[in-house]
Amino acid sequence: MKLGFFTMPMHPIGKDWQQSLREDREAFILADELGFTEAYCGEHATDPEENITSSAMFIASLANATKQIRLGTGTINMPNHHPAATASEIAMLDHLLGGRFILGISPGALPSDAEIFGNMDLPRPAMFLEAINQVLQLWTTKPPYNIKGQFWNLSTERTYIPETQMGTIPLPLQRPHPPIVVTAVAPFSQGIAEAAARGWDPISANFLLPKWVKTHWTKYVEGCERAGRLPELSNWRVAKTVFVAKDDATAEAYAMGRDGPYYYYYQSLFSKLKRRSALGVFKHDPKQPDDEVTLDDVMRQLVIHGSPAKVADQLGGLRSEIGEFGTLLYAGVDWKDPQLARDSMRLLAEKVLPAIR
């Protein structure tokens, strides 16, 4: 099992933006130093809590600050970006990283982002598919382009100059394109099956109950079989909320305390999902009423915490419940206590991972 990093991220409203960006960058740089194999960050344009507004721009800032870790968008919300802009910017990013890039994509889930970009009332899944199809077409066809769609039309036919190749979208370093991953947040996600059939790989979200995470492998196999593709456990990434401290008491106080960053993270997420009647990810039984789902229960089920030995046991239990998987993605939260945050990542890499291996 490999170790990776994933952050949405989630910071307290009012926290200095420069400070949170510095700490988020430091987490990625530390992950690289500790031997994490890959790291992802999300993006939202209109959320003061999840305040990385461009995952690609954030990753570009880490190109020369990291050495070996593969960096990914987690995710680019495709309907909010013009396909030509995505294709050209991601191609450049792949070159900046020397091919250490992973393309994470999704339709996007934040309503206020959808509204500000004018697609709140449009069929976003269809926009998502058209956008990624057009990006891939730009990378695999020669100019001049004449790509017509329901939402975007892409052309350089009127302006293409063969002698200078003006009117050409640049190609990524990795051919035909960087690896593509999708994040799954629903039980029995059909999106995983469709992605697997296209050669893409899944990330299971950290806020999904293990019994539902287990269903993602089944859907991944289904999609691979449809495409005649061999399903590889190494391609399945599972994100989990984990905090490791030198002793159980410290871990309990920081990970479960109501004044801690883990409680803040899940309180904010719980509130957002409840407003959208989307608490199903926290339910063992889909028929359970929303008012029976409590934040404390959610945290007890989803936050793995303790000393290195205790966390190793819990992660072993997780693997027994959902099956083997390729990469554990450590879910980042706000660095309320930077030293405890650094120690947690270090203990996970140096004490926990060797124990569970």
Side-chain angles (χ1 to χ4, degrees), residues 17-64:
W17 197 8
Q18 292 185 71
Q19 180 184 351
S20 68
L21 289 172
R22 280 195 302 269
E23 291 172 352
D24 286 336
R25 291 187 75 254
E26 185 177 343
F28 279 72
I29 295 168
L30 178 59
D32 183 43
E33 294 172 353
L34 292 172
F36 286 52
T37 59
E38 58 193 41
Y40 304 83
C41 72
E43 66 176 27
H44 287 305
T46 61
D47 191 340
E49 290 181 305
E50 297 182 53
N51 56 18
I52 290 179
T53 57
S54 167
S55 55
M57 186 180 294
F58 179 83
I59 287 170
S61 79
L62 294 161
N64 293 325

CSV table of all heavy atoms in Angstrom, one decimal, residues 17-64:
chain,number,residue,atom,x,y,z
A,17,TRP,N,-5.8,34.5,4.5
A,17,TRP,CA,-5.6,33.6,3.3
A,17,TRP,C,-4.2,33.3,3.0
A,17,TRP,O,-3.9,32.2,2.6
A,17,TRP,CB,-6.3,34.4,2.1
A,17,TRP,CG,-6.6,33.5,0.9
A,17,TRP,CD1,-6.5,32.1,0.9
A,17,TRP,CD2,-7.0,33.9,-0.4
A,17,TRP,NE1,-6.9,31.6,-0.3
A,17,TRP,CE2,-7.2,32.7,-1.1
A,17,TRP,CE3,-7.3,35.1,-0.9
A,17,TRP,CZ2,-7.6,32.7,-2.5
A,17,TRP,CZ3,-7.7,35.1,-2.3
A,17,TRP,CH2,-7.9,33.9,-3.0
A,18,GLN,N,-3.3,34.3,3.2
A,18,GLN,CA,-1.9,34.0,2.9
A,18,GLN,C,-1.4,32.9,3.8
A,18,GLN,O,-0.6,32.0,3.4
A,18,GLN,CB,-1.1,35.2,3.1
A,18,GLN,CG,-1.3,36.3,2.0
A,18,GLN,CD,-0.4,37.4,2.1
A,18,GLN,OE1,0.8,37.3,1.8
A,18,GLN,NE2,-0.9,38.6,2.5
A,19,GLN,N,-1.8,32.9,5.1
A,19,GLN,CA,-1.4,31.9,6.0
A,19,GLN,C,-1.9,30.5,5.7
A,19,GLN,O,-1.1,29.5,5.7
A,19,GLN,CB,-1.8,32.2,7.5
A,19,GLN,CG,-1.4,31.2,8.5
A,19,GLN,CD,-1.9,31.5,9.9
A,19,GLN,OE1,-2.5,32.6,10.1
A,19,GLN,NE2,-1.8,30.6,10.8
A,20,SER,N,-3.2,30.4,5.3
A,20,SER,CA,-3.7,29.1,4.9
A,20,SER,C,-3.0,28.6,3.7
A,20,SER,O,-2.8,27.4,3.6
A,20,SER,CB,-5.2,29.2,4.8
A,20,SER,OG,-5.6,29.9,3.7
A,21,LEU,N,-2.7,29.4,2.7
A,21,LEU,CA,-2.1,29.0,1.5
A,21,LEU,C,-0.6,28.5,1.8
A,21,LEU,O,-0.2,27.5,1.3
A,21,LEU,CB,-2.0,30.1,0.5
A,21,LEU,CG,-3.4,30.4,-0.2
A,21,LEU,CD1,-3.3,31.7,-1.1
A,21,LEU,CD2,-3.9,29.2,-1.0
A,22,ARG,N,0.1,29.2,2.7
A,22,ARG,CA,1.4,28.8,3.1
A,22,ARG,C,1.4,27.4,3.7
A,22,ARG,O,2.2,26.6,3.5
A,22,ARG,CB,2.0,29.8,4.0
A,22,ARG,CG,2.6,31.1,3.4
A,22,ARG,CD,3.5,31.8,4.4
A,22,ARG,NE,2.8,32.2,5.6
A,22,ARG,CZ,2.2,33.4,5.8
A,22,ARG,NH1,2.1,34.3,4.8
A,22,ARG,NH2,1.6,33.7,6.9
A,23,GLU,N,0.4,27.3,4.6
A,23,GLU,CA,0.3,26.0,5.3
A,23,GLU,C,-0.1,24.8,4.4
A,23,GLU,O,0.4,23.7,4.5
A,23,GLU,CB,-0.6,26.1,6.5
A,23,GLU,CG,-0.1,27.0,7.6
A,23,GLU,CD,-1.2,27.3,8.7
A,23,GLU,OE1,-2.3,26.9,8.5
A,23,GLU,OE2,-0.8,27.9,9.7
A,24,ASP,N,-1.0,25.1,3.5
A,24,ASP,CA,-1.4,24.1,2.5
A,24,ASP,C,-0.2,23.7,1.6
A,24,ASP,O,0.1,22.5,1.4
A,24,ASP,CB,-2.5,24.6,1.6
A,24,ASP,CG,-3.8,24.6,2.3
A,24,ASP,OD1,-4.0,23.9,3.3
A,24,ASP,OD2,-4.7,25.4,1.9
A,25,ARG,N,0.6,24.7,1.2
A,25,ARG,CA,1.8,24.4,0.4
A,25,ARG,C,2.8,23.6,1.3
A,25,ARG,O,3.4,22.6,0.8
A,25,ARG,CB,2.5,25.7,-0.1
A,25,ARG,CG,1.7,26.4,-1.2
A,25,ARG,CD,2.4,27.6,-1.8
A,25,ARG,NE,3.5,27.1,-2.7
A,25,ARG,CZ,4.8,27.1,-2.4
A,25,ARG,NH1,5.2,27.5,-1.2
A,25,ARG,NH2,5.6,26.6,-3.3
A,26,GLU,N,3.0,24.0,2.5
A,26,GLU,CA,3.9,23.3,3.4
A,26,GLU,C,3.5,21.8,3.5
A,26,GLU,O,4.4,20.9,3.6
A,26,GLU,CB,4.0,23.9,4.7
A,26,GLU,CG,5.1,23.3,5.6
A,26,GLU,CD,5.2,24.0,7.0
A,26,GLU,OE1,4.8,25.1,7.1
A,26,GLU,OE2,5.8,23.3,7.9
A,27,ALA,N,2.2,21.5,3.6
A,27,ALA,CA,1.7,20.1,3.7
A,27,ALA,C,2.2,19.3,2.5
A,27,ALA,O,2.6,18.2,2.6
A,27,ALA,CB,0.2,20.1,3.9
A,28,PHE,N,2.1,19.9,1.3
A,28,PHE,CA,2.4,19.2,0.1
A,28,PHE,C,4.0,19.0,0.1
A,28,PHE,O,4.4,17.9,-0.3
A,28,PHE,CB,2.0,20.0,-1.1
A,28,PHE,CG,0.5,19.8,-1.5
A,28,PHE,CD1,-0.5,20.3,-0.7
A,28,PHE,CD2,0.2,19.0,-2.6
A,28,PHE,CE1,-1.8,20.1,-1.0
A,28,PHE,CE2,-1.1,18.8,-3.0
A,28,PHE,CZ,-2.1,19.3,-2.2
A,29,ILE,N,4.7,20.0,0.4
A,29,ILE,CA,6.2,19.9,0.4
A,29,ILE,C,6.6,18.8,1.5
A,29,ILE,O,7.5,18.0,1.2
A,29,ILE,CB,6.8,21.3,0.7
A,29,ILE,CG1,6.5,22.2,-0.4
A,29,ILE,CG2,8.3,21.1,0.9
A,29,ILE,CD1,6.8,23.7,-0.1
A,30,LEU,N,6.0,18.8,2.6
A,30,LEU,CA,6.3,17.8,3.6
A,30,LEU,C,5.9,16.4,3.1
A,30,LEU,O,6.7,15.5,3.3
A,30,LEU,CB,5.5,18.1,4.9
A,30,LEU,CG,5.7,17.1,6.1
A,30,LEU,CD1,7.2,17.0,6.5
A,30,LEU,CD2,4.9,17.5,7.3
A,31,ALA,N,4.8,16.3,2.5
A,31,ALA,CA,4.4,15.0,1.9
A,31,ALA,C,5.5,14.5,0.9
A,31,ALA,O,5.8,13.3,0.9
A,31,ALA,CB,3.1,15.1,1.2
A,32,ASP,N,6.0,15.4,0.1
A,32,ASP,CA,7.1,15.0,-0.8
A,32,ASP,C,8.3,14.5,0.0
A,32,ASP,O,8.9,13.5,-0.4
A,32,ASP,CB,7.4,16.2,-1.7
A,32,ASP,CG,8.5,15.9,-2.7
A,32,ASP,OD1,8.4,14.8,-3.3
A,32,ASP,OD2,9.4,16.7,-2.9
A,33,GLU,N,8.7,15.2,1.0
A,33,GLU,CA,9.9,14.9,1.8
A,33,GLU,C,9.7,13.5,2.5
A,33,GLU,O,10.7,12.8,2.7
A,33,GLU,CB,10.2,16.0,2.8
A,33,GLU,CG,10.6,17.3,2.2
A,33,GLU,CD,10.7,18.4,3.3
A,33,GLU,OE1,10.3,18.2,4.4
A,33,GLU,OE2,11.1,19.5,2.9
A,34,LEU,N,8.5,13.2,2.9
A,34,LEU,CA,8.2,12.0,3.6
A,34,LEU,C,8.0,10.8,2.7
A,34,LEU,O,7.8,9.7,3.2
A,34,LEU,CB,7.0,12.2,4.5
A,34,LEU,CG,7.2,13.2,5.7
A,34,LEU,CD1,5.8,13.4,6.4
A,34,LEU,CD2,8.2,12.6,6.7
A,35,GLY,N,8.0,11.0,1.4
A,35,GLY,CA,7.9,9.9,0.5
A,35,GLY,C,6.5,9.5,0.1
A,35,GLY,O,6.2,8.5,-0.5
A,36,PHE,N,5.5,10.4,0.4
A,36,PHE,CA,4.2,10.3,-0.2
A,36,PHE,C,4.3,10.2,-1.7
A,36,PHE,O,5.1,11.0,-2.3
A,36,PHE,CB,3.3,11.4,0.2
A,36,PHE,CG,2.8,11.4,1.6
A,36,PHE,CD1,3.7,11.3,2.7
A,36,PHE,CD2,1.4,11.6,1.9
A,36,PHE,CE1,3.2,11.4,4.0
A,36,PHE,CE2,1.0,11.6,3.2
A,36,PHE,CZ,1.9,11.5,4.3
A,37,THR,N,3.5,9.3,-2.3
A,37,THR,CA,3.7,9.2,-3.8
A,37,THR,C,2.9,10.2,-4.6
A,37,THR,O,3.3,10.4,-5.8
A,37,THR,CB,3.3,7.7,-4.2
A,37,THR,OG1,2.0,7.5,-3.8
A,37,THR,CG2,4.2,6.7,-3.5
A,38,GLU,N,1.8,10.7,-4.1
A,38,GLU,CA,1.0,11.6,-4.8
A,38,GLU,C,0.2,12.5,-3.9
A,38,GLU,O,0.0,12.2,-2.7
A,38,GLU,CB,0.1,10.9,-5.8
A,38,GLU,CG,-0.9,9.9,-5.1
A,38,GLU,CD,-1.5,8.9,-6.1
A,38,GLU,OE1,-0.9,8.5,-7.0
A,38,GLU,OE2,-2.8,8.7,-5.9
A,39,ALA,N,-0.3,13.7,-4.4
A,39,ALA,CA,-1.0,14.6,-3.6
A,39,ALA,C,-2.0,15.4,-4.5
A,39,ALA,O,-1.6,15.8,-5.6
A,39,ALA,CB,-0.1,15.5,-2.8
A,40,TYR,N,-3.2,15.7,-3.9
A,40,TYR,CA,-4.2,16.3,-4.7
A,40,TYR,C,-4.8,17.5,-3.8
A,40,TYR,O,-4.9,17.4,-2.6
A,40,TYR,CB,-5.4,15.4,-5.0
A,40,TYR,CG,-5.0,14.1,-5.7
A,40,TYR,CD1,-4.5,13.0,-5.0
A,40,TYR,CD2,-5.1,14.0,-7.1
A,40,TYR,CE1,-4.1,11.9,-5.7
A,40,TYR,CE2,-4.8,12.9,-7.8
A,40,TYR,CZ,-4.3,11.8,-7.1
A,40,TYR,OH,-3.9,10.6,-7.7
A,41,CYS,N,-5.3,18.5,-4.5
A,41,CYS,CA,-6.1,19.5,-3.9
A,41,CYS,C,-7.3,19.9,-4.7
A,41,CYS,O,-7.3,19.8,-5.9
A,41,CYS,CB,-5.2,20.8,-3.6
A,41,CYS,SG,-4.9,21.8,-5.1
A,42,GLY,N,-8.4,20.3,-4.0
A,42,GLY,CA,-9.6,20.6,-4.6
A,42,GLY,C,-9.6,22.1,-5.0
A,42,GLY,O,-8.6,22.9,-4.7
A,43,GLU,N,-10.7,22.6,-5.6
A,43,GLU,CA,-10.8,24.0,-5.9
A,43,GLU,C,-12.3,24.4,-5.8
A,43,GLU,O,-13.2,23.6,-6.2
A,43,GLU,CB,-10.3,24.2,-7.4
A,43,GLU,CG,-11.2,23.5,-8.5
A,43,GLU,CD,-10.7,23.9,-9.9
A,43,GLU,OE1,-9.5,24.2,-10.1
A,43,GLU,OE2,-11.6,23.8,-10.8
A,44,HIS,N,-12.5,25.6,-5.4
A,44,HIS,CA,-13.8,26.3,-5.4
A,44,HIS,C,-13.6,27.8,-5.5
A,44,HIS,O,-12.7,28.3,-4.9
A,44,HIS,CB,-14.6,26.0,-4.1
A,44,HIS,CG,-15.1,24.6,-4.0
A,44,HIS,ND1,-15.9,24.0,-5.0
A,44,HIS,CD2,-14.9,23.6,-3.1
A,44,HIS,CE1,-16.2,22.8,-4.7
A,44,HIS,NE2,-15.6,22.5,-3.5
A,45,ALA,N,-14.4,28.4,-6.4
A,45,ALA,CA,-14.2,29.8,-6.6
A,45,ALA,C,-15.0,30.7,-5.6
A,45,ALA,O,-14.6,31.8,-5.5
A,45,ALA,CB,-14.7,30.1,-8.1
A,46,THR,N,-16.0,30.1,-5.0
A,46,THR,CA,-16.9,30.9,-4.2
A,46,THR,C,-17.1,30.4,-2.7
A,46,THR,O,-18.1,30.7,-2.1
A,46,THR,CB,-18.3,31.0,-4.8
A,46,THR,OG1,-18.8,29.6,-4.9
A,46,THR,CG2,-18.2,31.5,-6.2
A,47,ASP,N,-16.1,29.7,-2.2
A,47,ASP,CA,-16.2,29.2,-0.8
A,47,ASP,C,-15.1,29.7,0.0
A,47,ASP,O,-13.9,29.3,-0.1
A,47,ASP,CB,-16.2,27.7,-0.8
A,47,ASP,CG,-16.6,27.1,0.5
A,47,ASP,OD1,-16.5,27.8,1.5
A,47,ASP,OD2,-17.0,25.9,0.6
A,48,PRO,N,-15.3,30.6,1.0
A,48,PRO,CA,-14.2,31.2,1.8
A,48,PRO,C,-13.6,30.1,2.7
A,48,PRO,O,-12.4,30.3,3.2
A,48,PRO,CB,-15.0,32.2,2.7
A,48,PRO,CG,-16.2,32.6,1.9
A,48,PRO,CD,-16.6,31.3,1.2
A,49,GLU,N,-14.2,29.0,2.9
A,49,GLU,CA,-13.6,27.9,3.7
A,49,GLU,C,-12.7,27.0,2.8
A,49,GLU,O,-11.5,26.8,3.2
A,49,GLU,CB,-14.7,27.0,4.4
A,49,GLU,CG,-15.5,27.7,5.5
A,49,GLU,CD,-16.5,26.8,6.1
A,49,GLU,OE1,-17.4,26.3,5.3
A,49,GLU,OE2,-16.5,26.6,7.3
A,50,GLU,N,-13.2,26.6,1.7
A,50,GLU,CA,-12.4,25.8,0.8
A,50,GLU,C,-11.8,26.8,-0.2
A,50,GLU,O,-12.3,27.0,-1.3
A,50,GLU,CB,-13.2,24.8,0.1
A,50,GLU,CG,-13.8,23.7,1.1
A,50,GLU,CD,-14.6,22.7,0.4
A,50,GLU,OE1,-14.0,22.0,-0.6
A,50,GLU,OE2,-15.7,22.4,0.7
A,51,ASN,N,-10.7,27.4,0.2
A,51,ASN,CA,-10.3,28.7,-0.5
A,51,ASN,C,-9.1,28.5,-1.5
A,51,ASN,O,-8.4,29.5,-1.8
A,51,ASN,CB,-10.0,29.8,0.5
A,51,ASN,CG,-8.9,29.3,1.5
A,51,ASN,OD1,-8.2,28.4,1.3
A,51,ASN,ND2,-8.9,30.1,2.6
A,52,ILE,N,-8.8,27.3,-2.0
A,52,ILE,CA,-8.0,27.2,-3.2
A,52,ILE,C,-8.9,27.3,-4.4
A,52,ILE,O,-9.7,26.5,-4.6
A,52,ILE,CB,-7.2,25.8,-3.2
A,52,ILE,CG1,-6.2,25.8,-2.1
A,52,ILE,CG2,-6.6,25.6,-4.5
A,52,ILE,CD1,-5.4,24.5,-1.9
A,53,THR,N,-8.7,28.4,-5.1
A,53,THR,CA,-9.7,28.7,-6.2
A,53,THR,C,-9.3,28.1,-7.5
A,53,THR,O,-10.2,27.9,-8.4
A,53,THR,CB,-9.8,30.3,-6.4
A,53,THR,OG1,-8.5,30.8,-6.7
A,53,THR,CG2,-10.3,31.0,-5.1
A,54,SER,N,-8.1,27.7,-7.6
A,54,SER,CA,-7.6,26.9,-8.8
A,54,SER,C,-6.6,25.9,-8.4
A,54,SER,O,-5.5,26.2,-8.0
A,54,SER,CB,-6.9,27.9,-9.8
A,54,SER,OG,-6.3,27.2,-10.8
A,55,SER,N,-7.0,24.6,-8.5
A,55,SER,CA,-6.1,23.5,-8.1
A,55,SER,C,-4.9,23.5,-9.0
A,55,SER,O,-3.8,23.2,-8.6
A,55,SER,CB,-6.9,22.2,-8.2
A,55,SER,OG,-7.5,22.0,-9.4
A,56,ALA,N,-5.1,23.8,-10.3
A,56,ALA,CA,-4.0,23.8,-11.3
A,56,ALA,C,-3.0,24.9,-10.9
A,56,ALA,O,-1.7,24.7,-10.9
A,56,ALA,CB,-4.5,24.0,-12.7
A,57,MET,N,-3.4,26.1,-10.6
A,57,MET,CA,-2.5,27.2,-10.2
A,57,MET,C,-1.8,26.9,-8.9
A,57,MET,O,-0.6,27.1,-8.8
A,57,MET,CB,-3.3,28.5,-10.1
A,57,MET,CG,-2.4,29.7,-9.8
A,57,MET,SD,-3.4,31.2,-9.7
A,57,MET,CE,-4.0,31.4,-11.3
A,58,PHE,N,-2.5,26.3,-8.0
A,58,PHE,CA,-1.8,25.9,-6.7
A,58,PHE,C,-0.7,24.9,-6.9
A,58,PHE,O,0.4,25.0,-6.4
A,58,PHE,CB,-2.9,25.3,-5.7
A,58,PHE,CG,-2.3,24.9,-4.4
A,58,PHE,CD1,-2.1,25.8,-3.4
A,58,PHE,CD2,-2.0,23.6,-4.2
A,58,PHE,CE1,-1.6,25.4,-2.2
A,58,PHE,CE2,-1.5,23.2,-2.9
A,58,PHE,CZ,-1.3,24.1,-1.9
A,59,ILE,N,-1.0,23.9,-7.8
A,59,ILE,CA,0.0,22.8,-8.0
A,59,ILE,C,1.2,23.4,-8.8
A,59,ILE,O,2.3,23.0,-8.5
A,59,ILE,CB,-0.7,21.7,-8.9
A,59,ILE,CG1,-1.6,20.9,-8.0
A,59,ILE,CG2,0.3,20.8,-9.5
A,59,ILE,CD1,-2.5,19.9,-8.7
A,60,ALA,N,0.9,24.4,-9.7
A,60,ALA,CA,2.0,25.0,-10.4
A,60,ALA,C,3.0,25.7,-9.4
A,60,ALA,O,4.2,25.7,-9.7
A,60,ALA,CB,1.5,26.0,-11.4
A,61,SER,N,2.5,26.2,-8.3
A,61,SER,CA,3.3,26.9,-7.3
A,61,SER,C,4.3,25.9,-6.6
A,61,SER,O,5.2,26.3,-6.0
A,61,SER,CB,2.5,27.6,-6.3
A,61,SER,OG,2.0,26.7,-5.3
A,62,LEU,N,4.0,24.6,-6.8
A,62,LEU,CA,4.8,23.6,-6.1
A,62,LEU,C,5.8,22.9,-7.1
A,62,LEU,O,6.5,22.0,-6.7
A,62,LEU,CB,3.9,22.5,-5.5
A,62,LEU,CG,3.0,23.0,-4.4
A,62,LEU,CD1,1.8,22.0,-4.1
A,62,LEU,CD2,3.8,23.1,-3.1
A,63,ALA,N,5.8,23.3,-8.3
A,63,ALA,CA,6.6,22.6,-9.3
A,63,ALA,C,8.1,22.5,-8.9
A,63,ALA,O,8.7,21.4,-9.0
A,63,ALA,CB,6.5,23.2,-10.7
A,64,ASN,N,8.6,23.6,-8.5
A,64,ASN,CA,10.1,23.6,-8.1
A,64,ASN,C,10.3,23.4,-6.6
A,64,ASN,O,11.4,23.3,-6.2
A,64,ASN,CB,10.7,24.9,-8.5
A,64,ASN,CG,10.8,25.1,-10.0
A,64,ASN,OD1,10.9,24.1,-10.8
A,64,ASN,ND2,10.6,26.3,-10.5
